[in-house]
Amino acid sequence: DGGITQSPKYLFRKEGQNVTLSCEQNLNHDAMYWYRQDPGQGLRLIYYSQIVNDFQKGDIAEGYSVSREKKESFPLTVTSAQKNPTAFYLCASSFAAPPLGYTFGSGTRLTVV
Amino acid sequence: GENVEQHPSTLSVQEGDSAVIKCTYSDSASNYFPWYKQELGKRPQLIIDIRSNVGEKKDQRIAVTLNKTAKHFSLHITETQPEDSAVYFCAASIQGAQKLVFGQGTRLTINP
């Protein structure tokens, strides 16, 4: 599916629970990113990783955590500390600077119930 | 850090007319400017991009222009069609950076 796969497509979480969103790419991209999109809003950067075992906070990292143990994978955990987690989450990957070939996954819609 | 402002937030045009979306950026070191189209419930997809050493780029009905002095770039869609209805995002990347900074998006509606 375009070389970058997100799962699941829909996710429901009870308040107080942690959930992990999966992102896998087979494009041999070095960098991977997580964005949050709220209805009618733009794309806000949560975390990004330029190389394995290294990642940086984006603009809205509070309440989220990530890991980058493999080049192909960049999972995002939405923790119970995230006060308003209901949103559409998009993963992306790209080659090195400048970020050419910036490709998005199909997204995960997370709903807190 | 880099900041990208996008206008208008919504745009409605008659089928066959042209649409123009404008973005301004804050950091003169920005050197890469892509545009993405996002249909309802789908992922954003790259439609055109431009590097800072080029002033204009065209791809069929779509064109992007860049004014480095004024620090703004624009998306032009000619002969609009119903399938052009979507949300469009501009973005910018600072030289040496590996991340894109996105504008707030423009919801384009093509009226038949």
PDB file of all heavy atoms in Angstrom, chain A residues 45-64:
ATOM      1  N   LEU A  45       3.347  17.741  14.001  1.00  0.00           N
ATOM      2  CA  LEU A  45       4.404  16.744  14.160  1.00  0.00           C
ATOM      3  C   LEU A  45       4.514  16.308  15.614  1.00  0.00           C
ATOM      4  O   LEU A  45       4.673  17.141  16.510  1.00  0.00           O
ATOM      5  CB  LEU A  45       5.733  17.321  13.672  1.00  0.00           C
ATOM      6  CG  LEU A  45       6.943  16.392  13.701  1.00  0.00           C
ATOM      7  CD1 LEU A  45       6.746  15.210  12.750  1.00  0.00           C
ATOM      8  CD2 LEU A  45       8.200  17.170  13.331  1.00  0.00           C
ATOM      9  N   ILE A  46       4.467  14.986  15.829  1.00  0.00           N
ATOM     10  CA  ILE A  46       4.563  14.439  17.187  1.00  0.00           C
ATOM     11  C   ILE A  46       6.013  14.051  17.492  1.00  0.00           C
ATOM     12  O   ILE A  46       6.613  14.529  18.443  1.00  0.00           O
ATOM     13  CB  ILE A  46       3.653  13.204  17.335  1.00  0.00           C
ATOM     14  CG1 ILE A  46       2.207  13.541  16.974  1.00  0.00           C
ATOM     15  CG2 ILE A  46       3.721  12.669  18.763  1.00  0.00           C
ATOM     16  CD1 ILE A  46       1.290  12.319  16.908  1.00  0.00           C
ATOM     17  N   TYR A  47       6.569  13.162  16.696  1.00  0.00           N
ATOM     18  CA  TYR A  47       7.953  12.703  16.832  1.00  0.00           C
ATOM     19  C   TYR A  47       8.494  12.407  15.450  1.00  0.00           C
ATOM     20  O   TYR A  47       7.737  12.130  14.524  1.00  0.00           O
ATOM     21  CB  TYR A  47       8.019  11.400  17.647  1.00  0.00           C
ATOM     22  CG  TYR A  47       8.210  11.551  19.132  1.00  0.00           C
ATOM     23  CD1 TYR A  47       7.116  11.477  19.999  1.00  0.00           C
ATOM     24  CD2 TYR A  47       9.474  11.730  19.688  1.00  0.00           C
ATOM     25  CE1 TYR A  47       7.278  11.595  21.375  1.00  0.00           C
ATOM     26  CE2 TYR A  47       9.650  11.849  21.062  1.00  0.00           C
ATOM     27  CZ  TYR A  47       8.547  11.784  21.900  1.00  0.00           C
ATOM     28  OH  TYR A  47       8.710  11.896  23.255  1.00  0.00           O
ATOM     29  N   TYR A  48       9.830  12.452  15.318  1.00  0.00           N
ATOM     30  CA  TYR A  48      10.447  11.994  14.095  1.00  0.00           C
ATOM     31  C   TYR A  48      11.787  11.339  14.404  1.00  0.00           C
ATOM     32  O   TYR A  48      12.383  11.589  15.453  1.00  0.00           O
ATOM     33  CB  TYR A  48      10.592  13.116  13.063  1.00  0.00           C
ATOM     34  CG  TYR A  48      11.512  14.253  13.445  1.00  0.00           C
ATOM     35  CD1 TYR A  48      12.772  14.374  12.857  1.00  0.00           C
ATOM     36  CD2 TYR A  48      11.111  15.225  14.346  1.00  0.00           C
ATOM     37  CE1 TYR A  48      13.607  15.430  13.180  1.00  0.00           C
ATOM     38  CE2 TYR A  48      11.939  16.280  14.676  1.00  0.00           C
ATOM     39  CZ  TYR A  48      13.177  16.390  14.093  1.00  0.00           C
ATOM     40  OH  TYR A  48      13.998  17.449  14.413  1.00  0.00           O
ATOM     41  N   SER A  49      12.227  10.516  13.459  1.00  0.00           N
ATOM     42  CA  SER A  49      13.465   9.757  13.644  1.00  0.00           C
ATOM     43  C   SER A  49      14.245   9.798  12.338  1.00  0.00           C
ATOM     44  O   SER A  49      13.715   9.474  11.285  1.00  0.00           O
ATOM     45  CB  SER A  49      13.146   8.308  14.022  1.00  0.00           C
ATOM     46  OG  SER A  49      14.295   7.504  13.925  1.00  0.00           O
ATOM     47  N   GLN A  50      15.510  10.176  12.440  1.00  0.00           N
ATOM     48  CA  GLN A  50      16.342  10.267  11.234  1.00  0.00           C
ATOM     49  C   GLN A  50      17.154   8.999  11.013  1.00  0.00           C
ATOM     50  O   GLN A  50      17.533   8.692   9.883  1.00  0.00           O
ATOM     51  CB  GLN A  50      17.261  11.490  11.342  1.00  0.00           C
ATOM     52  CG  GLN A  50      16.486  12.797  11.459  1.00  0.00           C
ATOM     53  CD  GLN A  50      17.405  13.997  11.580  1.00  0.00           C
ATOM     54  OE1 GLN A  50      18.409  14.095  10.919  1.00  0.00           O
ATOM     55  NE2 GLN A  50      17.035  14.950  12.429  1.00  0.00           N
ATOM     56  N   ILE A  51      17.460   8.291  12.102  1.00  0.00           N
ATOM     57  CA  ILE A  51      18.221   7.052  11.995  1.00  0.00           C
ATOM     58  C   ILE A  51      17.746   6.091  13.075  1.00  0.00           C
ATOM     59  O   ILE A  51      17.088   6.505  14.042  1.00  0.00           O
ATOM     60  CB  ILE A  51      19.743   7.280  12.141  1.00  0.00           C
ATOM     61  CG1 ILE A  51      20.038   7.968  13.486  1.00  0.00           C
ATOM     62  CG2 ILE A  51      20.298   8.075  10.978  1.00  0.00           C
ATOM     63  CD1 ILE A  51      21.515   8.074  13.785  1.00  0.00           C
ATOM     64  N   VAL A  52      18.126   4.846  12.941  1.00  0.00           N
ATOM     65  CA  VAL A  52      17.772   3.828  13.937  1.00  0.00           C
ATOM     66  C   VAL A  52      18.329   4.216  15.303  1.00  0.00           C
ATOM     67  O   VAL A  52      19.409   4.791  15.406  1.00  0.00           O
ATOM     68  CB  VAL A  52      18.313   2.458  13.482  1.00  0.00           C
ATOM     69  CG1 VAL A  52      18.080   1.401  14.554  1.00  0.00           C
ATOM     70  CG2 VAL A  52      17.655   2.036  12.184  1.00  0.00           C
ATOM     71  N   ASN A  53      17.536   3.928  16.325  1.00  0.00           N
ATOM     72  CA  ASN A  53      17.900   4.176  17.725  1.00  0.00           C
ATOM     73  C   ASN A  53      18.056   5.648  18.065  1.00  0.00           C
ATOM     74  O   ASN A  53      18.710   5.994  19.063  1.00  0.00           O
ATOM     75  CB  ASN A  53      19.180   3.412  18.109  1.00  0.00           C
ATOM     76  CG  ASN A  53      18.970   1.912  18.101  1.00  0.00           C
ATOM     77  OD1 ASN A  53      17.908   1.423  18.477  1.00  0.00           O
ATOM     78  ND2 ASN A  53      19.971   1.184  17.661  1.00  0.00           N
ATOM     79  N   ASP A  54      17.457   6.505  17.260  1.00  0.00           N
ATOM     80  CA  ASP A  54      17.488   7.944  17.548  1.00  0.00           C
ATOM     81  C   ASP A  54      16.174   8.568  17.113  1.00  0.00           C
ATOM     82  O   ASP A  54      15.634   8.220  16.055  1.00  0.00           O
ATOM     83  CB  ASP A  54      18.654   8.612  16.816  1.00  0.00           C
ATOM     84  CG  ASP A  54      18.801  10.062  17.238  1.00  0.00           C
ATOM     85  OD1 ASP A  54      18.723  10.350  18.452  1.00  0.00           O
ATOM     86  OD2 ASP A  54      18.983  10.918  16.351  1.00  0.00           O
ATOM     87  N   PHE A  55      15.625   9.469  17.928  1.00  0.00           N
ATOM     88  CA  PHE A  55      14.398  10.168  17.556  1.00  0.00           C
ATOM     89  C   PHE A  55      14.339  11.499  18.300  1.00  0.00           C
ATOM     90  O   PHE A  55      15.015  11.695  19.316  1.00  0.00           O
ATOM     91  CB  PHE A  55      13.154   9.328  17.857  1.00  0.00           C
ATOM     92  CG  PHE A  55      13.113   8.695  19.223  1.00  0.00           C
ATOM     93  CD1 PHE A  55      12.682   9.410  20.330  1.00  0.00           C
ATOM     94  CD2 PHE A  55      13.498   7.365  19.405  1.00  0.00           C
ATOM     95  CE1 PHE A  55      12.643   8.821  21.583  1.00  0.00           C
ATOM     96  CE2 PHE A  55      13.455   6.778  20.644  1.00  0.00           C
ATOM     97  CZ  PHE A  55      13.032   7.497  21.743  1.00  0.00           C
ATOM     98  N   GLN A  56      13.547  12.411  17.750  1.00  0.00           N
ATOM     99  CA  GLN A  56      13.421  13.757  18.315  1.00  0.00           C
ATOM    100  C   GLN A  56      11.959  14.112  18.518  1.00  0.00           C
ATOM    101  O   GLN A  56      11.093  13.671  17.757  1.00  0.00           O
ATOM    102  CB  GLN A  56      14.045  14.818  17.390  1.00  0.00           C
ATOM    103  CG  GLN A  56      15.559  14.776  17.300  1.00  0.00           C
ATOM    104  CD  GLN A  56      16.052  13.683  16.388  1.00  0.00           C
ATOM    105  OE1 GLN A  56      15.448  13.437  15.342  1.00  0.00           O
ATOM    106  NE2 GLN A  56      17.108  13.012  16.776  1.00  0.00           N
ATOM    107  N   LYS A  57      11.698  14.918  19.524  1.00  0.00           N
ATOM    108  CA  LYS A  57      10.345  15.408  19.763  1.00  0.00           C
ATOM    109  C   LYS A  57       9.956  16.417  18.689  1.00  0.00           C
ATOM    110  O   LYS A  57      10.769  17.225  18.253  1.00  0.00           O
ATOM    111  CB  LYS A  57      10.251  16.067  21.133  1.00  0.00           C
ATOM    112  CG  LYS A  57      10.414  15.108  22.303  1.00  0.00           C
ATOM    113  CD  LYS A  57      10.240  15.833  23.624  1.00  0.00           C
ATOM    114  CE  LYS A  57      10.378  14.869  24.797  1.00  0.00           C
ATOM    115  NZ  LYS A  57      10.221  15.554  26.102  1.00  0.00           N
ATOM    116  N   GLY A  58       8.676  16.341  18.320  1.00  0.00           N
ATOM    117  CA  GLY A  58       8.124  17.346  17.439  1.00  0.00           C
ATOM    118  C   GLY A  58       7.438  18.429  18.246  1.00  0.00           C
ATOM    119  O   GLY A  58       7.807  18.712  19.384  1.00  0.00           O
ATOM    120  N   ASP A  59       6.391  19.005  17.681  1.00  0.00           N
ATOM    121  CA  ASP A  59       5.717  20.135  18.317  1.00  0.00           C
ATOM    122  C   ASP A  59       4.747  19.728  19.421  1.00  0.00           C
ATOM    123  O   ASP A  59       4.433  20.530  20.303  1.00  0.00           O
ATOM    124  CB  ASP A  59       4.959  20.944  17.259  1.00  0.00           C
ATOM    125  CG  ASP A  59       5.885  21.447  16.171  1.00  0.00           C
ATOM    126  OD1 ASP A  59       6.994  21.924  16.507  1.00  0.00           O
ATOM    127  OD2 ASP A  59       5.516  21.352  14.982  1.00  0.00           O
ATOM    128  N   ILE A  60       4.258  18.469  19.391  1.00  0.00           N
ATOM    129  CA  ILE A  60       3.226  18.057  20.358  1.00  0.00           C
ATOM    130  C   ILE A  60       3.546  16.678  20.921  1.00  0.00           C
ATOM    131  O   ILE A  60       2.717  15.784  20.924  1.00  0.00           O
ATOM    132  CB  ILE A  60       1.819  18.077  19.706  1.00  0.00           C
ATOM    133  CG1 ILE A  60       1.786  17.196  18.440  1.00  0.00           C
ATOM    134  CG2 ILE A  60       1.386  19.492  19.373  1.00  0.00           C
ATOM    135  CD1 ILE A  60       0.365  16.900  17.963  1.00  0.00           C
ATOM    136  N   ALA A  61       4.754  16.477  21.444  1.00  0.00           N
ATOM    137  CA  ALA A  61       5.209  15.165  21.888  1.00  0.00           C
ATOM    138  C   ALA A  61       4.633  14.711  23.235  1.00  0.00           C
ATOM    139  O   ALA A  61       4.659  13.516  23.547  1.00  0.00           O
ATOM    140  CB  ALA A  61       6.729  15.157  21.964  1.00  0.00           C
ATOM    141  N   GLU A  62       4.113  15.618  24.023  1.00  0.00           N
ATOM    142  CA  GLU A  62       3.644  15.263  25.368  1.00  0.00           C
ATOM    143  C   GLU A  62       2.525  14.224  25.303  1.00  0.00           C
ATOM    144  O   GLU A  62       1.540  14.387  24.589  1.00  0.00           O
ATOM    145  CB  GLU A  62       3.152  16.504  26.109  1.00  0.00           C
ATOM    146  CG  GLU A  62       2.768  16.220  27.553  1.00  0.00           C
ATOM    147  CD  GLU A  62       2.388  17.472  28.319  1.00  0.00           C
ATOM    148  OE1 GLU A  62       2.555  18.583  27.789  1.00  0.00           O
ATOM    149  OE2 GLU A  62       1.907  17.343  29.461  1.00  0.00           O
ATOM    150  N   GLY A  63       2.704  13.139  26.088  1.00  0.00           N
ATOM    151  CA  GLY A  63       1.699  12.095  26.124  1.00  0.00           C
ATOM    152  C   GLY A  63       1.912  10.999  25.089  1.00  0.00           C
ATOM    153  O   GLY A  63       1.106  10.076  24.985  1.00  0.00           O
ATOM    154  N   TYR A  64       2.977  11.105  24.314  1.00  0.00           N
ATOM    155  CA  TYR A  64       3.304  10.117  23.289  1.00  0.00           C
ATOM    156  C   TYR A  64       4.722   9.584  23.520  1.00  0.00           C
ATOM    157  O   TYR A  64       5.546  10.259  24.107  1.00  0.00           O
ATOM    158  CB  TYR A  64       3.249  10.738  21.893  1.00  0.00           C
ATOM    159  CG  TYR A  64       1.910  11.296  21.489  1.00  0.00           C
ATOM    160  CD1 TYR A  64       1.634  12.668  21.624  1.00  0.00           C
ATOM    161  CD2 TYR A  64       0.911  10.482  20.955  1.00  0.00           C
ATOM    162  CE1 TYR A  64       0.414  13.196  21.253  1.00  0.00           C
ATOM    163  CE2 TYR A  64      -0.311  11.000  20.578  1.00  0.00           C
ATOM    164  CZ  TYR A  64      -0.549  12.365  20.733  1.00  0.00           C
ATOM    165  OH  TYR A  64      -1.765  12.880  20.354  1.00  0.00           O
TER     166      TYR A  64
END
